[in-house]
Amino acid sequence: RLLELGADACQADNDSKTALVWASRHGMESVAQRLLDCKAKRNAERNTEMLRAYSAFLDASEKPDKK
């Protein structure tokens, strides 16, 4: 539920261990898979945003300067 609300799946504890490390070490395969799926989805969303911004930058840089 926390992931659905936007919790950071990559946040580490004081020992630099993430939820994925804990889930893996304790045999929680379904939790580990859910964390991996969430991270992949967020990376895809972030990459899409970056590509849109880069595309807009290229479009703007290709337009001739109006002086």
Side-chain angles (χ1 to χ4, degrees), residues 10-48:
C10 298
Q11 182 68 40
D13 65 10
N14 292 336
D15 295 325
S16 300
K17 292 180 180 72
T18 63
L20 180 58
V21 169
W22 281 101
S24 299
R25 286 187 176 175
H26 295 283
M28 300 175 182
E29 186 177 332
S30 64
V31 173
Q33 187 60 55
R34 175 98 173 160
L35 289 164
L36 289 170
D37 292 345
C38 182
K39 183 169 174 35
K41 180 182 176 193
R42 290 207 179 132
N43 283 342
E45 290 169 353
R46 193 173 303 129
N47 289 343
T48 299

Side-chain angles (χ1 to χ4, degrees), residues 54-65:
Y54 183 64
S55 179
F57 167 77
L58 290 178
D59 289 345
S61 66
E62 291 175 358
K63 293 180 182 176
D65 288 340

